[in-house]
Amino acid sequence: MLPKFLLADNSQETPDTIFVVHTEEPKFIVESDIEDFWSNQEVHWLSDVPNSEETINQLLAEAEQFLEDEFESQENLFEEEEED
Protein backbone atom coordinates (compact mmCIF):
# COMPACT_ATOMS: atom_id res chain seq x y z
CA MET A 1 0.00 0.00 0.00
CA LEU A 2 1.37 3.38 -0.99
CA PRO A 3 1.37 6.39 1.33
CA LYS A 4 -1.29 8.99 0.58
CA PHE A 5 1.39 11.54 -0.42
CA LEU A 6 4.91 11.23 -1.81
CA LEU A 7 7.62 13.84 -2.40
CA ALA A 8 9.50 14.01 -5.68
CA ASP A 9 12.05 16.29 -7.24
CA ASN A 10 14.11 16.61 -10.37
CA SER A 11 17.13 18.59 -9.26
CA GLN A 12 18.85 18.26 -12.63
CA GLU A 13 15.96 19.81 -14.58
CA THR A 14 14.17 22.01 -12.04
CA PRO A 15 16.33 22.48 -8.91
CA ASP A 16 13.97 25.00 -7.25
CA THR A 17 10.84 22.89 -7.74
CA ILE A 18 9.31 20.18 -5.61
CA PHE A 19 6.49 17.80 -6.48
CA VAL A 20 3.91 16.44 -4.06
CA VAL A 21 2.22 13.34 -5.46
CA HIS A 22 -1.25 12.35 -4.23
CA THR A 23 -1.58 8.59 -4.74
CA GLU A 24 -5.26 8.19 -3.88
CA GLU A 25 -8.28 9.18 -5.99
CA PRO A 26 -8.37 11.76 -7.32
CA LYS A 27 -4.71 11.36 -8.22
CA PHE A 28 -2.68 14.48 -8.90
CA ILE A 29 0.78 16.02 -8.69
CA VAL A 30 1.39 19.49 -7.30
CA GLU A 31 4.41 21.20 -8.82
CA SER A 32 5.57 24.17 -6.77
CA ASP A 33 8.45 26.35 -5.67
CA ILE A 34 10.47 24.51 -3.03
CA GLU A 35 10.54 27.56 -0.73
CA ASP A 36 6.86 28.55 -1.06
CA PHE A 37 4.24 25.89 -1.80
CA TRP A 38 1.74 28.44 -3.16
CA SER A 39 4.27 30.20 -5.41
CA ASN A 40 4.16 29.22 -9.09
CA GLN A 41 2.01 26.24 -8.17
CA GLU A 42 0.67 24.02 -10.91
CA VAL A 43 -1.62 21.03 -10.35
CA HIS A 44 -1.31 18.13 -12.79
CA TRP A 45 -4.44 15.98 -12.55
CA LEU A 46 -3.92 12.28 -13.25
CA SER A 47 -7.60 11.59 -12.55
CA ASP A 48 -10.72 13.56 -13.32
CA VAL A 49 -10.68 17.00 -11.71
CA PRO A 50 -13.13 17.15 -8.78
CA ASN A 51 -16.24 19.25 -9.44
CA SER A 52 -16.06 20.90 -6.05
CA GLU A 53 -13.69 23.83 -5.50
CA GLU A 54 -13.93 23.05 -1.78
CA THR A 55 -12.62 19.51 -2.40
CA ILE A 56 -9.74 20.84 -4.50
CA ASN A 57 -8.81 23.39 -1.83
CA GLN A 58 -8.95 20.71 0.88
CA LEU A 59 -6.69 18.37 -1.12
CA LEU A 60 -4.18 21.16 -1.75
CA ALA A 61 -4.21 22.11 1.93
CA GLU A 62 -3.51 18.48 2.84
CA ALA A 63 -0.64 18.40 0.33
CA GLU A 64 0.82 21.58 1.83
CA GLN A 65 0.53 20.19 5.36
CA PHE A 66 2.24 16.97 4.26
CA LEU A 67 5.11 18.98 2.73
CA GLU A 68 5.52 21.13 5.85
CA ASP A 69 5.50 18.04 8.10
CA GLU A 70 8.11 16.34 5.90
CA PHE A 71 10.40 19.39 5.95
CA GLU A 72 10.08 19.62 9.74
CA SER A 73 10.81 15.91 10.10
CA GLN A 74 13.90 16.29 7.89
CA GLU A 75 15.15 19.23 9.94
CA ASN A 76 14.73 17.25 13.16
CA LEU A 77 16.60 14.30 11.65
CA PHE A 78 19.51 16.50 10.55
CA GLU A 79 19.67 18.12 14.00
CA GLU A 80 19.81 14.71 15.68
CA GLU A 81 22.61 13.62 13.32
CA GLU A 82 24.62 16.77 14.11
CA GLU A 83 24.31 16.11 17.83
CA ASP A 84 25.83 12.61 17.47
Side-chain angles (χ1 to χ4, degrees):
M1 183 169 167
L2 290 174
K4 184 174 183 175
F5 290 102
L6 299 170
L7 286 180
D9 70 16
N10 187 344
S11 59
Q12 294 175 7
E13 296 290 326
T14 55
D16 296 327
T17 303
I18 193 147
F19 302 88
V20 178
V21 181
H22 186 254
T23 64
E24 297 177 356
E25 290 295 330
K27 295 179 181 181
F28 62 91
I29 300 171
V30 180
E31 176 182 355
S32 69
D33 184 279
I34 198 164
E35 297 296 326
D36 181 8
F37 184 76
W38 296 104
S39 177
N40 299 321
Q41 185 183 80
E42 187 171 348
V43 180
H44 305 276
W45 293 97
L46 306 175
S47 299
D48 291 337
V49 179
N51 293 329
S52 166
E53 192 70 30
E54 183 178 331
T55 299
I56 293 171
N57 290 337
Q58 177 63 35
L59 289 167
L60 294 176
E62 289 176 20
E64 179 183 26
Q65 186 61 54
F66 166 77
L67 183 62
E68 288 175 5
D69 291 347
E70 284 298 303
F71 282 164
E72 184 176 323
S73 180
Q74 258 185 349
E75 286 176 18
N76 291 340
L77 181 62
F78 290 140
E79 287 173 3
E80 287 175 10
E81 288 178 356
E82 288 177 359
E83 291 174 1
D84 291 338

